[in-house]
Amino acid sequence: MTALVLALTAVGLVFAVLAWVPKSEGATLEIVLSGIMLACGVAVGLVLLSGDGVASWPERWWNVLLLLAGGLAVTGGGPLTTSVLALVDRGNTRAQSTQKAGEVLRGGALIGSLERGAIFAALVAGWPEGLAIVLAIKGLARYPELRSPDQPASVTPQAVAERFIIGSFTSVLWAVTCAGFLLSH
């Protein structure tokens, strides 16, 4: 079981990294890569739920899973979030959707990666209050941009807020899921 969980997590991490590479084929390949990554995550969760979780694992294997799941939380959330936003943008490629997001809310990919890393670390460390702090900091830092009248003419304030909420929820849920792998007992 340990080897299966580690292998599935590693495969998910590989597909997460591959999903970051820009592709010219359009949104389909990006969504497929994100889907495979998500399927690996679901499989890991099912395997852990069907057994005794990670509670009985030797420390060295738990540490390997900690690194793999942390990497998956940080890298996997970006492609998953941009794939969800591409679906929301109705047919745009992930690259077009990401470009649009960059025009509206700059630095989203970096902020999202830091957010997922902080949420993963807080939950694995047994400090769930950290999730509220991370979200509060992000919301307060983004508030001026969410209410700014200086957005491109094609973007309404409601669209900016919608992208922020959808992106944040997708990103946070992914980080929480990856932390949940380690917390399953």
Side-chain angles (χ1 to χ4, degrees):
M1 182 173 95
T2 303
L4 180 61
V5 168
L6 292 174
L8 285 170
T9 307
V11 168
L13 182 56
V14 167
F15 279 99
V17 171
L18 288 174
W20 273 96
V21 179
K23 306 196 185 36
S24 60
E25 291 86 10
T28 305
L29 181 61
E30 296 155 349
I31 291 172
V32 167
L33 291 172
S34 294
I36 292 170
M37 177 200 65
L38 188 59
C40 287
V42 169
V44 167
L46 291 173
V47 170
L48 288 173
L49 287 173
S50 69
D52 60 352
V54 296
S56 65
W57 285 23
E59 185 175 347
R60 67 181 181 277
W61 293 121
W62 193 91
N63 290 336
V64 170
L65 182 61
L66 175 68
L67 292 174
L68 290 173
L72 187 58
V74 173
T75 61
L80 184 63
T81 301
T82 55
S83 292
V84 168
L85 288 172
L87 291 172
V88 169
D89 288 340
R90 294 180 182 88
N92 285 348
T93 66
R94 202 180 87 203
Q96 292 167 330
S97 183
T98 302
Q99 181 181 356
K100 181 178 176 182
E103 294 170 4
V104 176
L105 295 170
R106 293 169 305 282
L110 178 60
I111 291 169
S113 294
L114 293 170
E115 169 192 43
R116 288 185 299 276
I119 287 170
F120 179 84
L123 293 176
V124 169
W127 190 52
E129 296 84 358
L131 185 124
I133 292 171
V134 169
L135 292 176
I137 290 170
K138 183 178 179 184
L140 289 172
R142 285 293 197 187
Y143 184 77
E145 287 178 282
L146 293 172
R147 294 292 165 216
S148 174
D150 299 333
Q151 296 293 342
S154 62
V155 179
T156 66
Q158 293 82 10
V160 174
E162 180 181 284
R163 291 186 71 80
F164 175 77
I165 291 169
I166 292 169
S168 293
F169 278 174
T170 304
S171 183
V172 168
L173 287 173
W174 180 253
V176 169
T177 300
C178 290
F181 295 161
L182 295 171
L183 302 176
S184 64
H185 293 7

